[in-house]
Every structure is written in C-alpha cells, then in structure tokens.
Amino acid sequence: MGEALRPLGVELRHFAVLIVLVNRGPTVQRDLAVATGSDKAGIMRVVDDLERKGLAVRKAVPGDRRARAVEITPEGIELFDAAHVAAEPLAGRLVTELGAGESEQLTELLTRLAHPADDEA
C-alpha cells in the first residue's frame, strides 16, 4: 500500500487519517488518535503534514476553546479518491486466494471491526 500511495505524496498514516475524516466528517484530534491507533504526538505530526499539503485543516470547535476539529479539504477528497483507485489492484491481489463469497465476507467483517457502533443501532 505504501508503494501505491508514494506517487500521491502521502504515506499510509496520512491515508488512515483521511479515511477517518471521510467516514466521520470533522473530527477532533484525540478521536483521530483513537481511531487510527496513534498517540497524541503522532497524530499531531500527521495532521501537520496534511495541513502543509493542503489536504486537511484544523478548525475551532464551537463551545470548546481548546479543541480543534480536523476537516478534510476538497484537495484531500481528490487525493483520497485517487488513493482508492491506486489501491484497487492491490486489494484485488490480496483476495485472489479467497474462495467464492469469502471476499465479501472479509469486507463485511472488516467493516464491522472498523465501525462497531453501526452494529449496535
């Protein structure tokens, strides 16, 4: 995946944050850290990188002077879409050994792991 992202100028850690922002919308940094399995310092570096690249911005959170929500920019959405296109061949290779229906089952299981709250609704 790193090789697929390299021509786009981002690393997997950047893409992981963009995925969260696309799925959740503006997200405070502490929640980004939890969602990506990063620590506070690590997520700050990634968000700094994304801001420098014009892929995300930090915005004030109404009612909380200290908190900043990270929001994906239109350029970030374009890169996110391009990254998905670049990753499609890799995703196909990863599931070539799976049997009939197993690829869909894997996708369903991974989605449930990534979004456990969706199952509780």
Side-chain angles (χ1 to χ4, degrees):
M1 187 65 181
E3 289 179 30
L5 294 173
R6 190 170 298 120
L8 300 172
V10 293
E11 299 172 17
L12 189 54
R13 62 194 179 112
H14 300 118
F15 188 55
V17 170
L18 293 177
I19 290 170
V20 174
L21 296 177
V22 166
N23 288 332
R24 295 186 182 179
T27 306
V28 294
Q29 288 183 174
R30 70 179 168 272
D31 292 343
L32 280 176
V34 170
T36 60
S38 185
D39 59 23
K40 183 179 176 181
I43 203 66
M44 288 181 67
R45 284 190 299 273
V46 171
V47 173
D48 287 345
D49 290 348
L50 292 173
E51 275 193 316
R52 268 192 301 280
K53 294 173 183 290
L55 304 174
V57 293
R58 287 180 178 103
K59 293 188 175 182
V61 174
D64 189 341
R65 295 181 319 177
R66 296 175 297 165
R68 296 285 179 262
V70 181
E71 185 175 325
I72 194 167
T73 64
E75 294 83 4
I77 291 173
E78 285 181 28
L79 185 129
F80 176 81
D81 291 341
H84 268 278
V85 170
E88 280 183 33
L90 172 63
R93 286 195 310 266
L94 290 174
V95 297
T96 57
E97 299 297 318
L98 297 179
E102 289 180 329
S103 174
E104 293 81 7
Q105 184 179 16
L106 176 61
T107 299
E108 179 186 337
L109 291 170
L110 291 172
T111 300
R112 286 174 48 198
L113 284 172
H115 305 286
D118 294 349
D119 291 337
E120 296 171 8

